[in-house]
């Protein structure tokens, strides 16, 4: 009988060690990954020439996301009401447009007529995963 108790104890010990898996703790969310064909895209930054353009990014590791805020040069546009319940979102500024459709982000930058530099920051979130996208023209 003692032999069976030792065997049973050994089986439970092995099962408890093998069945343990790493839990995802707060802050351990993998970073957002994007699929795109943007040539001047590195370090979360898109460099746009004076002609402007349209840039499309598709999130490949989260099913959706929402935009928490957009910073246009010196002005800030906050979105306090997270539109996570809405799969689409569109915002038009004086020289740009941001359109979100489920897991796809489309950014349109208008051509500029002068030598003044323009910048845009888009802050994106899904649960505890955060991403900051910068556009410079």
């Amino acid at each position: 009988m003692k032999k069976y108790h030792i065997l049973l104890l050994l089986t439970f010990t092995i099962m408890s060690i093998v069945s343990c898996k790493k839990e995802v703790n707060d802050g351990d969310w993998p970073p957002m990954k994007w699929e795109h064909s943007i040539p001047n895209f590195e370090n979360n930054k898109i460099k746009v020439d004076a002609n402007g353009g349209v840039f499309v990014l598709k999130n490949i590791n989260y099913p959706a996301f929402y935009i928490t805020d957009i910073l246009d040069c010196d002005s800030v546009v906050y979105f306090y009401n997270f539109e996570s319940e809405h799969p689409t979102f569109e915002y038009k500024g004086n020289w740009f447009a941001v359109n979100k459709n489920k897991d796809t982000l489309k950014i349109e930058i208008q051509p500029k007529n002068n030598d003044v530099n323009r910048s845009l920051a888009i802050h994106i979130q899904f649960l505890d995963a955060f991403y900051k996208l910068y556009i410079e023209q």
Side-chain angles (χ1 to χ4, degrees), residues 42-80:
E42 60 182 56
N43 299 329
N44 302 357
K45 192 180 293 184
I46 300 173
K47 294 181 181 177
V48 183
D49 62 22
N51 297 325
V54 176
F55 307 95
V56 178
L57 297 98
K58 180 180 171 87
N59 190 292
I60 57 174
N61 64 332
Y62 290 104
F65 58 86
Y66 50 93
I67 298 170
T68 58
D69 59 71
I70 297 175
L71 292 84
D72 170 7
C73 295
D74 297 324
S75 62
V76 178
V77 179
Y78 285 103
F79 300 102
Y80 294 110

Side-chain angles (χ1 to χ4, degrees), residues 1 14 17 19 24-25 51 54 68 86 89 95 98 119:
M1 188 71 160
I14 291 172
I17 292 172
S19 66
V24 176
N25 296 321
N51 297 325
V54 176
T68 58
H86 308 289
F89 166 80
W95 56 277
V98 176
S119 63

Side-chain angles (χ1 to χ4, degrees), residues 29-43:
W29 291 76
M32 291 186 178
K33 295 179 184 174
W34 301 90
E35 183 178 86
H36 61 84
S37 60
I38 303 168
N40 296 327
F41 185 60
E42 60 182 56
N43 299 329

